Amino acid sequence: LRLLPQQRYLRTERAEVSALERKRNVLCCLITRILKAEKQLHIDNLVFRVIDACQKGELGPGVQFLSFCCHSVDVLSCLLHLLNQGYLRRQEGRPHVLEY
């Protein structure tokens, strides 16, 4: 029996998954911080505010992180995740407005 060394592509794949998880966590934090402050917000405005915060590298007042590229699809994916988890909800009669 001969042991083979761990494949490099497996380590790369794990690193990419870890980076995606960190990105999703930052986006979810941004979404909840913005909605906590605003209480309710139109989904389009929320997406633009999150993207703007990502480009500026701001998590909130006095909290900085490395800026990164994020797209509306990333933000919408996190919004759906938070909606499914019950952290966010849609307003009755106005489903395009989200509440924390």
Side-chain angles (χ1 to χ4, degrees):
L1 182 65
R2 191 173 72 169
L3 297 176
L4 297 175
Q6 186 176 15
Q7 299 296 321
R8 289 183 190 188
Y9 69 87
L10 292 177
R11 283 184 279 174
T12 302
E13 188 175 296
R14 286 186 198 128
E16 289 174 6
V17 168
S18 178
L20 287 173
E21 286 176 356
R22 283 193 307 270
K23 182 177 181 178
R24 187 181 79 180
N25 289 340
V26 169
L27 289 175
C28 288
C29 287
L30 280 170
I31 291 167
T32 54
R33 277 194 143 204
I34 291 169
L35 276 178
K36 275 184 179 180
E38 297 292 329
K39 305 298 183 217
Q40 63 181 22
L41 204 57
H42 190 283
I43 194 167
D44 292 340
N45 291 338
L46 180 58
V47 169
F48 290 129
R49 287 185 63 180
V50 170
I51 290 172
D52 186 52
C54 286
Q55 291 172 347
K56 291 179 180 176
E58 297 174 345
L59 189 55
V63 182
Q64 298 285 320
F65 66 93
L66 295 175
S67 62
F68 59 89
C69 180
C70 102
H71 302 282
S72 58
V73 174
D74 301 325
V75 179
L76 290 170
S77 173
C78 289
L79 284 172
L80 287 175
H81 175 73
L82 291 171
L83 281 167
N84 287 334
Q85 295 294 317
Y87 292 108
L88 308 179
R89 63 181 171 167
R90 297 176 186 263
Q91 270 190 355
E92 285 188 37
R94 293 175 37 183
H96 52 279
V97 177
L98 298 176
E99 297 177 331
Y100 178 75

